[in-house]
């Protein structure tokens, strides 16, 4: 048993994990435990923590452990809970060693080795610091060096500990077609948990990401201390916020321990997913920009190229098409200036044709009645028209009405002796099984082969979650949830080795797989199945707080909208979609000539501005939750160019024009302002030049007063 005195640390070892503007400090206490001392602005030499005193009771071990383990004198929420072969459920980790190495000129990695006082359990805490972006990525590597198997009952990725006057938690709740709604709450004593237990499609109801505003009762875009966190994991997750009796906040994030006890065989290692942290004193906006820069430069799959505009066939044709329908859509897409056509669901299955969601999943042969010429013909047709070609697959799923379901009933996720439930008329394939992993890989591979080298983009869908979890393959059923996600990643690794340049979208009934775990392999996500522009204001506002706009597909669809029945003007739809990765999802044949002309112009404008949306700095100017308007802007890194977008989301009595103060500009520069996508400019300053200082201080007051009025402005610095 460790006897801990917290009166003074008398720290022998202090470890600073530093970025350009932040420090995270760990230090050992007298009992050689590794404590989480600090996360915030730079504090200089970490040795200053040597004699630190917290004045906590010395006989209570409530000091913040860097990786709190269940047992010993520790009684708060643990990051690690282990059961040993003798039934002991305590773990007491002490510091063994640490090292820091340079991964590159602006990335440093610190690894701290901890070991249990009684057993041969070792834990490495790995912190990767991205200096310029002020991001620290953290995960744990747990190794059973003993002679007997042990059970990991909880194995979080990372824990931090904070002390502030108040903690405002901002998180992202929702549902299908209403993802990433922003909710704020001041944390009180006790535990707040954000989690998902659905196995796959885990990000509709919550997202494994959040922001914490310290000493601030509202989310401030531009000022104040904010910590943002995101877990890179596409399975069940759990984010826990525990405020204890000393008002300290412990934040523990990782894989959800729900039904997931994991046996670690002797000699085996388990590596947890990465938890991404950022800290800033410049408000939520800077926290987002840190995450966006880090993601775009270092982490997500699509690095360094601009995303293409596209026409997706789903809402325009659903399951009802033939070759002519598709080639006509390709013609129309090319004529409007779109750069890619994506053939969605419905192209496969012969014996069990995919004419609705009721049949065909699993039978990935081209439907010869609908497309007798084959997929390569369509891809070739698109290429000849000068645009790229993409296609939809849902390889993790099977309809009961399919040859695959008859051939491989053992591949289906099921708990022995229990009913297999369908969702959207489909079952889930058991990705913990190596043959299923091979099959899922082959669905991708064979589809690519069907295109004879001309498929540029794959939309990977996933339309159900796990029910009655279980596997006929696994001997240890509680590995199911974790091994499913690891199985998915293993398939994605193989796919990326063979197809490094194929653009792949992670779609999961819209935004059901929107997380950094997926974005390590996928280029972008389908943000939501709700394509209606007013709903999208809120969905995209929330999603882009964490995930960069370049990765969030945003499509213009028909009215009345198929999800909400709402009717919004084409301009409003285009302007809003232009703040993400622009696409269209409708039947162009149903558009009027004027609508097509407008669309072509708006697509052309987007192409001229998309480097700002996709590579620039996002500034949220007016929150849609504040009532009447939504406004945001993207600024180029050199501050010489910007795009501002604003939307009226409530009728303003024709009198209340918004005052939109801009951010991120250079006050010393002069900027010309040009409104795009509008015959009749809504801002009196259109075509004029203003100083950055004026735009920041006074701002613009466009006449956006009627419901669904919107505007986009292009700002250019004048030499
Ligand atoms: C759900 C997706 O989110 C939609 O975009 C579409 O691809 C359908 N599935 C197809 O079944």
């Amino acid at each position: 048993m460790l006897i801990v005195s917290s009166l003074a640390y008398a720290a022998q070892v202090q470890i600073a994990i530093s970025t350009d503007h932040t420090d995270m400090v760990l230090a050992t206490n007298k009992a050689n435990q590794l404590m989480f001392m600090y996360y915030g602005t730079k504090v200089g030499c970490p040795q200053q923590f040597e004699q630190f005193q917290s004045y906590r009771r010395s006989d209570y071990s409530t000091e913040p452990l860097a990786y709190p383990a269940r047992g010993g004198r520790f009684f708060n929420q643990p990051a690690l809970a282990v059961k040993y072969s003798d039934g002991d459920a305590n773990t007491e980790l002490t510091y063994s060693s640490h090292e820091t190495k340079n991964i590159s000129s602006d990335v440093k990695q610190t690894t701290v080795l901890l070991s249990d006082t009684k057993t041969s359990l070792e834990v490495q805490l790995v912190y990767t610091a991205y200096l310029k972006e002020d991001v620290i990525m953290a995960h744990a590597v747990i190794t059973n060096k003993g002679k007997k198997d042990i059970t990991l009952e909880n194995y979080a990725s990372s824990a931090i500990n904070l002390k502030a006057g108040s903690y405002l938690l901002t998180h992202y709740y929702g549902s299908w077609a209403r993802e990433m709604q922003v909710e704020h709450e001041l944390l009180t004593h006790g535990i707040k948990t954000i989690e998902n237990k659905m196995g796959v499609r885990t990000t509709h109801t919550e997202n494994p990401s959040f922001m914490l505003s310290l000493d601030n009762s509202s989310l401030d875009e531009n000022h104040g201390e904010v910590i943002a966190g995101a877990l890179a994991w596409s399975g069940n997750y759990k984010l826990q916020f525990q405020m204890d009796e000393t008002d300290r906040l412990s934040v523990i994030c990782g894989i959800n321990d729900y039904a997931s006890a994991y046996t670690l065989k002797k000699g085996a290692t388990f590596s947890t997913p990465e938890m991404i942290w950022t800290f800033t004193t410049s408000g939520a906006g800077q926290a987002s920009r840190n995450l966006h820069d880090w993601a775009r430069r270092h982490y997500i799959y699509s690095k360094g190229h601009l995303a293409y505009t596209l026409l997706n066939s789903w809402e325009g044709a659903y399951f009802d098409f033939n070759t002519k329908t598709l080639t006509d859509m390709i013609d129309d897409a090319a004529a409007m200036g779109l750069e890619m056509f994506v053939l969605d669901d419905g192209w496969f299955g012969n014996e069990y044709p995919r004419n609705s969601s009721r049949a065909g999943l699993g039978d990935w042969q081209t439907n010869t009645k609908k497309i007798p010429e084959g997929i390569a013909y369509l891809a070739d047709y698109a290429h000849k028209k000068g645009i790229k070609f993409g296609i939809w697959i849902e390889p993790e799923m099977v309809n009961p009405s399919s040859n695959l379901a008859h051939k491989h009933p053992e591949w289906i996720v099921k708990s022995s002796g229990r009913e297999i439930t369908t969702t959207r008329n489909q079952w889930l394939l058991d990705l913990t099984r190596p043959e299923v992993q091979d099959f899922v890989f082959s669905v991708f591979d064979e589809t690519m082969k069907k295109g004879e080298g001309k498929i540029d983009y794959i939309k990977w869908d996933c339309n159900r979650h796990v029910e009655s979890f279980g596997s006929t393959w696994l001997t240890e059923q509680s590995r199911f949830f974790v091994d499913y996600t690891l199985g998915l990643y293993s398939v994605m690794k193989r796919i990326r080795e063979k197809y490094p340049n194929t653009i792949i979208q992670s779609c999961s009934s819209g935004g059901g797989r929107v997380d950094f775990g997926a974005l390590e392999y996928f280029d972008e996500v389908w943000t939501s199945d709700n394509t209606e522009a007013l709903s999208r204001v809120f969905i995209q506002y929330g999603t882009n707080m964490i995930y960069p706009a370049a990765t969030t597909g945003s499509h213009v669809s028909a009215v009345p909208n198929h999800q909400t029945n709402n009717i919004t003007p084409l301009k409003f739809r285009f302007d809003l979609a232009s703040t993400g990765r622009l696409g269209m999802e409708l039947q162009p044949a149903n558009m009027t000539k004027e609508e097509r002309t407008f669309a072509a112009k708006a697509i052309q404008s987007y192409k001229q501005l998309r480097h700002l949306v996709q590579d620039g700095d996002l500034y949220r100017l007016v929150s849609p939750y504040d009532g009447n308007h939504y406004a945001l802007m993207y600024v180029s890194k050199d501050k010489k160019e910007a795009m501002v977008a604003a939307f009226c989301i409530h009728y303003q009595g024709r009198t209340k024009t918004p005052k939109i103060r801009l951010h991120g500009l250079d006050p010393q520069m002069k900027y010309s302002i040009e409104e795009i996508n509008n015959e009749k400019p809504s801002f009196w300053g259109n075509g004029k030049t203003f100083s950055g200082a004026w735009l920041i201080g006074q701002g613009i007051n466009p006449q956006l007063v009627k419901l669904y009025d919107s505007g986009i402005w292009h700002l250019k610095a004048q030499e």
Side-chain angles (χ1 to χ4, degrees), residues 641-714:
E641 217 186 337
M643 172 182 132
V644 179
F647 306 86
C648 181
I649 56 174
H650 285 290
Y651 174 54
Q652 298 303 301
R654 299 199 180 196
T655 48
K656 290 188 273 173
T657 51
K659 174 172 165 136
I660 303 170
R661 295 173 68 177
L662 308 191
H663 285 280
L665 301 175
D666 181 341
Q668 310 300 329
M669 286 188 193
K670 288 210 174 325
Y671 295 90
S672 62
I673 288 204
E674 189 204 347
E675 185 161 352
I676 62 162
N677 299 352
N678 213 352
E679 295 294 303
K680 195 171 155 261
S682 61
F683 173 46
W684 59 267
N686 188 48
K688 300 189 189 330
T689 298
F690 300 91
S691 69
W694 193 91
L695 292 165
I696 293 165
Q698 166 60 36
I700 63 171
N701 61 334
Q703 202 184 14
L704 305 180
V705 290
K706 283 192 271 170
L707 181 60
Y708 305 137
D709 279 349
S710 64
I712 292 192
W713 297 269
H714 185 198

Side-chain angles (χ1 to χ4, degrees), residues 314 344-345 354 392 424 459 461 463 507 509-510 526 529:
W314 180 240
D344 210 281
D345 199 352
R354 182 75 174 163
W392 178 98
R424 206 194 189 214
K459 173 174 174 178
D461 208 344
N463 285 303
C507 169
S509 314
W526 179 221
D529 270 352

Side-chain angles (χ1 to χ4, degrees), residues 328 331-333 335-336 570 574 584 587-603:
D328 283 353
D331 289 345
D332 289 332
M336 286 190 287
L570 188 61
F574 258 105
M584 292 181 78
Q587 173 51 275
N590 296 337
M591 294 170 79
T592 63
K593 201 167 152 238
E594 292 70 37
E595 286 174 332
R596 280 165 181 255
T597 308
F598 178 84
K601 213 168 150 210
I603 292 162

Side-chain angles (χ1 to χ4, degrees), residues 359-378:
L361 284 175
D363 298 353
W364 296 99
Q365 297 77 35
T366 310
N367 182 300
T368 48
K369 266 201 187 142
K370 289 185 186 176
I371 317 173
E373 299 83 352
I375 297 303
Y377 171 82
L378 288 174

